[in-house]
């Protein structure tokens, strides 16, 4: 007998070579070459981070307490060098003061070549400061030194305000040097906004390093034959944001440019959509379907419960005594196996769990970890991989409902974790398998909204071969983009829009309804019915399997700065229209003032509108082209030209556009003197008030969500307090609603650039197309069922159901299992107890209460 080595899985570790007694194995460093026949390629190689050793002014290479932000992430991680304990490298002591220095290796045209903004550093610095405070035992002092705080994403500004409220200091100053002092400490000398010099000593300094493209990316681009831009990111067109210069090769993530996790996930789905469109005719030709493991019948077996307790890094393990909880679980009835894991949701742990379940004969599983909202489907899949019904699973949330809300009470948190595990085990023992049935999916889509995002999503699905109905309430397609002439890069929006409309109307798979609204919506995932009412009063009923909402946004109509009182006060969109319609009038101006954050970043609308800064820079540059001698002043709070937009901010300054910062406490004042305008503002450099006459005052008005209240109610969807739709998960499912089969894209989600709207529209089309093409969608499981013998047709369930599912048929309530969301409202309201919710029977719920109170009563009355 001789052994062979599978080269496809060999890691080249050399252990077999050293262990072989006969010397029959020889290690080869010749790289394995595999040829693949593919129809498309997606580049998702990411980037590296800037190497701070290139700067000697921060003493990073010589001082152990000057670290990069990536290294600080490892310090905070439970799998890091200090197991999640906050300490500095020099002496393993917990720091009392930490400073973050922003823009290290970004926005720098002097010391390095990275003139762009890395886009992610401000948010991760705030996050690190907040988490460090949670990890500290001594009241940590945190300070972030920054130039502009670029919290431009959805709800990012709210997180920034929360950090300020919780004591994170934000100091607007670019630090030049870091000097070692004392025993491992570091002194930072800086100048504040008033021009005063300060020196402050910190125990640890974190350098917020930016994204950096390495030489490997350049070599790969040469091999693939694709173009890179001046910053060595993969070059793309703003109207085809995931397509490279080579047809059939697509890109996503930070290989294309600086971006955060949600945008990277969106781009990944967008690239998948581009591939699906290209390869739609070959769908399923060479696809491999994962074989399903036969499900084991456990109904006749006594409960054998396996308990898996998660540390969740330090999220749980830093507060709860996990080993103590683990040993406690061993003593519980029906428990045959217990273990704890650093991260139970990790891929290697999932594989291990499936193996343990099979080896130990486990037929019920309890995971004590985080929230089932995000992780229950993952663990249920693990059960199916082990041959168990996925409903034989119970989750104890010992993070969100325990360690996070009892972070200062370790003993209390540990005791509560034991209670939660005991309750979960008791319920798990009573679980029965549930069964679902296949779902027939209507192979069509409804897209609501005919702007750039809606039309792109419709085309993305139509190119995959699906039938699409596109509904727009205006009489013409285009949305808000009809008022935009060009992008900041100079791309012609109107020409693009015209071509897009022509392609949509000419596509045989797309039916367009304009001047129409949604008058009725019913059904369930894969089987929706929508009534569309047109301007002529005609109603068309559409059957479709998925729904995409691309209802767009609107421009805020200012109530401040004299808007509406003087013709010279206008918004950025109105300025765009004027420059296109009457360029000579705009070119005759001598002085123009632009005011940022009008209608945003205030108490009424705390979020940043994201696109306003680039709009101001774009129009300022165009005005300079019309009249190079024009004096233009942009009054701003933070210039948020994130990513590659920073280059245009730099160009505007070089062209003579002046930027003056104002605070929310002292906003500019716009007045009139006869026929002219004047603006009074506090200049941050001169530190004195300045009054400037102006031919025009341009307001960067906020981007607000469209008025969708009726539509939101009709479709039973969730929207935020500011009117934008709420996604299922900000990072993992950024285009999905919580309701299955419904997706969102464009500015209906949040303010964004046209290129970002296109990318998100393709992502929604990708997710919707994957749903339509799916062959394993099911219905049933956790749904309510009515016993007609007990039902009195009292209509209580009909009135109580938030989804309008129950109907009275033949004298009794009837619940469509495909529509039922499993919320249990009808079960709790039914006076006759005629409705039962699968997986949440009375006994399964009450047993948790019983074991909780029994233990509590024993503690009160042990005798």
């Amino acid at each position: 007998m001789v052994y062979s080595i599978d080269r496809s899985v060999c890691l080249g570790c050399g252990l077999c070579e050293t262990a072989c007694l006969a010397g029959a194995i020889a290690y080869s460093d010749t790289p394995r070459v595999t040829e693949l026949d593919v129809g498309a390629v997606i580049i998702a190689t990411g980037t590296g981070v800037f190497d701070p050793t290139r700067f000697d002014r921060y003493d990073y290479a010589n001082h152990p307490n000057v670290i990069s932000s990536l290294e600080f992430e490892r310090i905070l991680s439970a799998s890091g060098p200090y197991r999640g304990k906050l300490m500095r490298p020099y002496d393993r002591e917990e720091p009392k003061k930490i400073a973050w220095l922003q823009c290290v290796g970004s926005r720098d045209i002097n010391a390095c070549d990275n003139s762009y903004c890395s886009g992610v550093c401000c948010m991760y610095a705030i996050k690190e400061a907040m988490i460090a405070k949670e990890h500290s035992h001594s009241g940590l002092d945190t300070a972030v030194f920054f130039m502009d705080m670029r919290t431009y994403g959805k709800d990012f500004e709210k997180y920034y305000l929360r950090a300020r409220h919780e004591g994170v200091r934000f100091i607007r100053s670019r630090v030049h040097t870091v000097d070692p002092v004392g025993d491992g400490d570091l002194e930072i000398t800086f100048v504040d906004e008033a021009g005063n010099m300060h020196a402050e000593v910190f125990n640890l300094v974190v350098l917020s390093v930016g994204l950096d493209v390495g030489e490997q990316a350049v070599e790969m681009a040469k091999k693939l034959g694709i173009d890179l831009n001046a910053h060595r990111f993969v070059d793309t067109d703003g109207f085809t944001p995931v397509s490279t210069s080579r047809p059939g090769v697509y890109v996503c993530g930070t290989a294309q440019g600086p971006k955060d996790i949600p945008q990277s996930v969106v781009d990944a789905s967008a690239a998948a959509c581009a591939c699906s469109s290209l390869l739609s005719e070959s769908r399923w030709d060479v696809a491999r379907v994962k074989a399903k493991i036969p499900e084991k019948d456990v109904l006749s077996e006594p409960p054998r419960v396996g308990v898996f307790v998660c540390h969740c890094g330090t999220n749980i393990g830093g507060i709860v005594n996990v080993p103590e909880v683990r040993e406690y679980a061993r003593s519980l009835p029906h428990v045959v196996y217990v273990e704890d894991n650093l991260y139970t949701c990790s891929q290697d742990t999932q594989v291990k769990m499936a193996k343990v379940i099979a080896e130990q004969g486990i037929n019920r599983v309890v995971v004590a970890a985080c929230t089932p909202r995000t992780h229950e489907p993952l663990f249920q899949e693990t059960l199916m991989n082990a041959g168990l019904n996925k409903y034989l699973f119970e989750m104890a949330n010992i993070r969100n409902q325990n360690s996070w809300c009892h972070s200062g009470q370790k003993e209390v948190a540990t005791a509560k974790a034991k209670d939660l595990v005991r309750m979960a085990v008791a319920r798990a023992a009573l679980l029965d398998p549930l069964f679902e049935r296949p779902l027939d999916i209507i192979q069509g889509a409804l897209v609501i909204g005919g702007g750039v995002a809606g039309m792109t999503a419709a085309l993305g699905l139509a190119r995959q071969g699906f039938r699409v109905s596109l509904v727009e309430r205006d009489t013409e397609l285009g949305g808000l983009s009809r008022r935009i002439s060009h992008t900041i890069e100079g791309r012609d929006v109107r020409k693009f829009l015209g071509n897009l409309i022509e392609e949509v109307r000419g596509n045989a798979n797309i039916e367009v309804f304009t001047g129409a609204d949604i008058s009725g919506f019913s059904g369930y995932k894969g089987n929706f019915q929508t009534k569309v009412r047109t301007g002529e009063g005609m109603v068309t009923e559409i059957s479709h399997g998925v729904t995409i909402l691309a209802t767009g946004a609107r421009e805020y109509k200012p109530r401040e700065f004299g808007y509406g009182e003087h013709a010279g006060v206008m918004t950025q969109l109105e300025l765009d229209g004027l420059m296109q319609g009457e360029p000579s009038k705009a070119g005759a101006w001598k002085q123009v003032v632009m005011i940022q954050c009008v209608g945003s970043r205030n108490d009424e609308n705390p979020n940043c509108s994201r696109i306003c800064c680039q709009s101001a820079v774009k129009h300022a540059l165009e005005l300079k082209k019309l009249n190079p001698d024009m004096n233009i002043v942009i009054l701003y709070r933070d210039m948020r030209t994130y990513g590659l937009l920073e280059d245009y901010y730099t160009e505007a300054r070089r062209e003579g556009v002046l930027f003056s910062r104002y605070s929310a406490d002292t906003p500019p004042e716009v007045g009139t003197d006869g026929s002219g305008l004047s603006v009074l503002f506090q200049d941050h450099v001169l530190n004195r008030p300045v009054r400037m006459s102006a031919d025009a005052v341009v307001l960067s008005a906020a981007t607000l969500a469209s008025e969708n209240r009726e539509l939101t109610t009709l479709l039973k969807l969730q929207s935020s307090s500011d009117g934008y739709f709420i996604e299922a998960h900000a990072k993992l499912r950024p285009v999905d609603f919580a309701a299955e089969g419904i997706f969102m894209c464009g500015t209906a989600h949040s303010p964004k650039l046209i290129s970002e709207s296109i990318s998100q529209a393709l992502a929604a089309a990708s997710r919707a197309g994957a749903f339509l093409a799916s062959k394993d969608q099911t219905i049933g499981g956790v749904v309510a069922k009515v016993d007609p013998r007990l039902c009195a047709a009292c209509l209580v369930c009909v009135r109580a159901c938030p989804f309008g599912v129950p109907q009275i048929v033949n004298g009794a309530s009837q619940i469509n299992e495909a529509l039922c969301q499993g919320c249990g409202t009808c079960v709790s309201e039914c006076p006759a107890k005629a409705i039962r919710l699968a997986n949440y029977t009375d006994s399964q719920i009450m047993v948790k209460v019983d074991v909780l109170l029994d233990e509590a009563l024993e503690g009160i009355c042990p005798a």
Side-chain angles (χ1 to χ4, degrees):
M1 175 184 289
V2 295
Y3 289 93
S4 61
I5 296 175
D6 186 344
R7 293 173 62 86
S8 66
V9 296
C10 176
L11 299 177
C13 64
L15 289 176
C16 56
E17 180 184 4
T18 57
C20 181
L21 298 177
I25 302 174
Y27 174 73
S28 172
D29 59 0
T30 303
R32 296 191 297 270
V33 177
T34 303
E35 289 190 5
L36 299 175
D37 293 322
V38 298
V41 175
I42 297 177
I43 300 169
T45 52
T47 58
V49 295
F50 181 80
D51 181 6
T53 58
R54 292 167 61 180
F55 293 161
D56 57 7
R57 59 177 181 251
Y58 298 133
D59 213 24
Y60 169 80
N62 302 315
H63 203 291
N65 288 341
V66 180
I67 61 175
S68 73
S69 48
L70 198 59
E71 291 165 341
F72 191 71
E73 289 278 351
R74 298 305 304 148
I75 287 176
L76 294 176
S77 174
S79 60
Y82 310 140
R83 299 182 177 237
K85 293 182 179 179
L86 182 62
M87 58 178 69
R88 62 183 194 170
Y90 174 70
D91 51 13
R92 306 298 194 270
E93 293 292 326
E94 181 178 310
K96 293 181 173 56
K97 291 182 69 175
I98 304 178
W100 279 260
L101 309 188
Q102 299 306 103
C103 302
V104 177
S106 298
R107 301 185 67 187
D108 197 331
I109 58 175
N110 298 314
C112 70
D113 296 329
N114 297 346
S115 61
Y116 54 84
C117 164
S118 288
V120 298
C121 314
C122 287
M123 277 305 296
Y124 76 55
I126 297 173
K127 178 202 70 173
E128 288 180 352
M130 294 281 278
I131 295 176
K133 277 182 167 290
E134 294 173 1
H135 284 224
S136 173
H137 300 93
S138 57
L140 181 66
D141 181 5
T142 55
V144 179
F145 291 85
F146 70 102
M147 292 194 293
D148 294 287
M149 189 47 57
R150 294 186 166 173
T151 48
Y152 55 86
K154 187 175 184 179
D155 290 334
F156 286 6
E157 185 76 6
K158 292 180 180 178
Y159 192 66
Y160 170 41
L161 294 173
R162 175 186 158 195
R164 292 176 60 180
H165 177 73
E166 295 188 11
V168 178
R169 293 189 291 141
F170 292 90
I171 302 169
R172 196 184 295 270
S173 180
R174 186 153 194 173
V175 175
H176 182 269
T177 54
V178 176
D179 298 312
V181 293
D183 189 19
D185 291 335
L186 301 146
E187 185 178 66
I188 292 177
T189 304
F190 63 95
V191 178
D192 65 16
E193 292 186 83
N196 301 315
M197 184 81 76
H198 300 271
E200 193 169 346
V201 175
F202 294 87
N203 307 123
L204 186 67
V205 171
V206 181
L207 305 180
S208 293
V209 291
L211 304 178
D212 194 37
V213 181
E215 290 297 330
Q216 288 183 330
V218 178
E219 293 176 8
M220 181 197 66
K222 290 179 181 178
K223 292 177 180 177
L224 292 175
I226 59 173
D227 296 339
L228 301 180
N229 61 27
H231 298 295
R232 306 199 297 186
F233 294 103
V234 176
D235 193 31
T236 60
D237 185 285
F239 297 144
T240 53
V242 295
S243 299
T244 70
S245 58
R246 183 173 183 178
V249 179
Y250 306 97
V251 63
C252 61
T254 55
Q256 189 265 342
K259 59 195 65 179
D260 58 8
I261 292 173
Q263 188 60 43
S264 295
V265 172
V266 165
D267 285 357
S269 290
C273 178
C275 291
S276 295
S277 299
L278 181 67
L279 308 176
S280 61
E281 294 181 2
S282 304
R283 181 180 286 125
W284 302 119
D285 286 357
V286 294
R288 290 180 294 177
V289 179
K290 181 181 178 181
K292 291 186 177 180
I293 297 176
E295 191 172 294
K296 181 181 177 184
D297 184 4
V298 300
L299 280 174
S300 60
E301 298 178 0
R304 293 177 57 82
V305 181
V307 180
F308 299 85
V309 187
C310 184
H311 289 257
C312 195
T314 56
N315 280 295
I316 296 172
I319 307 298
V320 175
N321 188 333
V322 172
E324 188 176 324
V325 175
R326 178 196 65 208
E327 294 308 312
Y328 173 77
R330 293 188 195 279
S331 66
L332 298 174
H334 309 297
V335 174
V336 298
Y337 181 83
V338 181
E339 71 173 38
D340 62 297
N341 299 283
L342 186 61
Y343 292 103
T344 309
C345 60
S346 65
Q347 180 62 35
D348 57 337
T349 305
Q350 296 299 296
V351 174
K352 178 184 173 185
M353 279 180 65
K355 185 178 180 182
V356 166
I357 291 170
E359 291 177 347
Q360 299 292 326
I362 294 169
N363 56 27
R364 307 288 191 283
V365 174
V366 171
V367 172
C370 52
T371 171
R373 183 184 175 194
T374 55
H375 284 72
E376 184 177 56
L378 174 69
F379 296 120
Q380 287 181 327
E381 184 178 356
T382 302
L383 263 68
M384 291 190 290
N385 290 337
L388 282 183
N389 185 281
K390 71 177 185 178
Y391 291 105
L392 299 174
F393 169 79
E394 174 70 356
M395 200 162 181
N397 189 345
I398 63 173
R399 187 189 70 177
N400 305 51
Q401 298 175 358
N402 187 29
S403 64
W404 279 2
C405 51
H406 301 294
S407 57
Q409 304 167 290
K410 294 188 175 183
E411 292 184 3
V412 171
T414 300
K416 185 176 178 180
K418 293 179 183 178
D419 289 340
L420 291 170
V421 170
R422 183 175 68 256
M423 294 160 67
V425 168
R427 181 175 184 272
L430 298 180
L431 294 177
D432 292 321
L434 302 179
F435 301 97
E436 301 172 345
R437 60 183 179 85
L439 174 68
D440 293 327
I441 299 175
I442 298 172
Q443 297 295 291
L446 172 70
V447 178
I448 304 175
V452 166
M455 288 190 288
T456 302
L459 276 173
L461 284 165
R463 288 167 180 162
Q464 296 179 59
F466 298 111
R467 174 180 51 80
V468 183
S469 299
L470 176 63
V471 178
E472 168 57 44
R473 64 184 171 190
D474 286 347
T475 55
E476 56 182 314
L477 298 172
L480 200 61
S481 296
R482 293 200 306 266
R483 300 179 62 190
I484 301 173
S485 62
H486 61 277
T487 68
I488 195 171
E489 298 88 357
R491 298 184 180 95
D492 190 332
V493 174
R494 291 176 180 174
K495 181 180 178 181
F496 162 74
L497 198 58
N499 293 336
L500 184 62
I501 293 171
E502 184 179 353
E503 187 175 357
V504 166
R505 290 196 176 276
N507 193 299
N509 284 335
I510 302 176
E511 183 179 14
V512 178
F513 298 84
T514 54
D517 58 14
I518 306 299
S519 60
F521 185 86
S522 60
Y524 49 91
K525 64 175 183 178
N527 290 264
F528 295 110
Q529 288 78 42
T530 300
K531 292 181 180 179
V532 177
R533 184 175 55 228
T534 60
E536 297 80 21
M538 294 179 58
V539 176
T540 302
E541 185 161 322
I542 300 170
S543 297
H544 51 101
V546 294
T547 307
I548 296 178
L549 279 88
T551 50
R554 57 191 170 91
E555 185 185 45
Y556 166 71
K557 291 300 179 186
R559 302 187 298 268
E560 54 270 78
F561 300 122
Y563 181 81
E565 300 172 7
H566 193 289
V569 181
M570 64 193 73
T571 66
Q572 292 289 352
L573 282 178
E574 290 166 349
L575 173 61
D576 193 330
L578 179 66
M579 286 192 293
Q580 299 308 309
E582 301 179 76
S584 59
K585 181 178 179 179
W589 292 336
K590 291 184 173 64
Q591 297 201 138
V592 175
V593 176
M594 297 184 180
I595 303 175
Q596 302 304 103
C597 301
V598 179
S600 59
R601 299 185 68 190
N602 55 26
D603 293 339
E604 186 178 341
N605 178 25
N607 274 313
C608 168
S609 288
R610 187 180 183 117
I611 62 174
C612 312
C613 287
Q614 68 87 32
S615 292
V617 170
K618 175 181 70 172
H619 292 148
L621 286 170
E622 185 167 355
L623 286 171
K624 276 291 187 178
K625 289 178 181 177
L626 292 174
N627 181 359
D629 296 326
M630 189 183 301
N631 294 321
I632 304 174
V633 177
I634 297 179
L635 305 179
Y636 71 99
R637 291 175 59 189
D638 292 278
M639 283 305 296
R640 293 180 170 175
T641 45
Y642 56 92
L644 305 184
L645 297 174
E646 181 72 12
D647 287 344
Y648 298 96
Y649 177 32
T650 303
E651 181 186 348
R653 298 200 305 274
R654 286 175 176 161
E655 291 296 323
V657 179
L658 300 179
F659 293 82
S660 181
R661 187 168 56 251
Y662 74 91
S663 71
D665 299 329
T666 57
E669 298 177 13
V670 177
T672 58
D673 48 1
S675 60
L677 292 165
S678 67
V679 181
L680 177 66
F681 58 93
Q682 182 78 15
D683 185 79
H684 72 285
V685 176
L686 299 175
N687 198 23
R688 56 171 291 177
V690 174
R691 184 178 297 276
M692 177 179 174
S693 61
D695 298 300
V697 174
V698 185
L699 308 180
S700 293
T703 301
L704 303 180
S706 293
E707 296 290 350
N708 290 320
R709 191 170 302 173
E710 291 184 10
L711 185 64
T712 303
T713 302
L714 187 64
L715 272 65
K716 299 179 177 64
L717 302 174
Q718 288 184 309
S719 61
S720 61
S721 58
D722 49 9
Y724 290 107
F725 292 126
I726 299 176
E727 62 273 51
H729 191 284
K731 288 184 171 65
L732 305 180
R733 297 172 65 194
V735 299
D736 296 46
F737 280 96
E740 290 188 85
I742 306 180
F743 308 90
M744 71 184 81
C745 62
T747 51
H749 168 269
S750 64
K752 49 181 59 72
L753 300 170
I754 289 177
S755 59
E756 294 165 339
S757 290
I758 292 171
S759 184
Q760 196 173 44
L762 292 173
S766 175
R767 297 285 294 160
F771 182 93
L772 292 174
S774 174
K775 297 181 179 180
D776 56 2
Q777 293 291 334
T778 58
I779 55 175
V782 182
V783 294
K785 295 184 179 180
V786 179
D787 186 344
R789 297 171 300 173
L790 301 177
C791 179
C794 65
L795 299 178
V796 168
C797 61
V798 175
R799 298 189 184 102
C801 178
F803 304 99
V805 176
Q807 295 180 340
I808 303 301
V809 179
N810 297 327
S813 177
Q814 189 176 90
I815 294 175
N816 186 331
E817 63 178 8
L819 291 172
C820 180
Q821 302 295 309
C823 68
T825 304
C826 59
V827 180
S828 61
E829 293 287 342
C830 180
K833 299 296 181 185
I835 309 176
R836 173 180 174 271
L837 181 63
N839 216 45
Y840 291 93
T841 62
D842 287 352
S843 60
Q844 290 169 346
I845 293 174
M846 291 307 300
V847 73
K848 298 180 76 171
V849 179
D850 292 341
V851 297
L852 173 65
L853 296 181
D854 285 349
E855 187 87 4
L857 290 172
E858 287 180 14
I860 298 171
C861 308

